[in-house]
Amino acid sequence: MTHRDLTIAEVLEDPLIRQVMRADRISVAGMANLLQDAALRQQRAEAVGRDAGHDLSVGLKPMARARLRPGTQADLR
């Protein structure tokens, strides 16, 4: 089975993600900005990695899965 990442539009339209956004009081615009910023940062890191002769996106994947410690919140504005 092949897995692919959701596009930003798919994330913003997903009913479960929308429910979590509502519960966390995250606006659609705020989430879109967060995802676009993350995508841009990943593209830049991958470009730097290509220029340096290695793939830095491999190092970004564990960060994307990292969980916050209990009692902390991410600033998603």
Side-chain angles (χ1 to χ4, degrees):
M1 183 172 181
T2 303
H3 297 280
R4 69 171 184 82
D5 292 333
L6 296 174
T7 65
I8 292 174
E10 289 170 333
V11 168
L12 295 175
E13 293 172 2
D14 183 272
L16 183 57
I17 293 173
R18 292 293 284 262
Q19 190 173 23
V20 172
M21 288 168 53
R22 274 192 298 277
D24 290 340
R25 296 186 177 125
I26 304 296
S27 69
V28 173
M31 184 68 160
N33 288 337
L34 173 75
L35 294 172
Q36 290 167 346
D37 182 55
L40 182 59
R41 288 172 187 250
Q42 183 173 3
Q43 288 172 350
R44 287 179 182 161
E46 289 171 352
V48 168
R50 280 191 303 275
D51 292 344
H54 49 77
D55 185 6
L56 291 180
S57 67
V58 172
L60 293 175
K61 290 177 184 177
M63 290 183 352
R65 286 186 286 245
R67 295 177 186 249
L68 292 174
R69 286 177 284 178
T72 62
Q73 292 186 349
D75 183 3
L76 300 176
R77 285 179 271 163

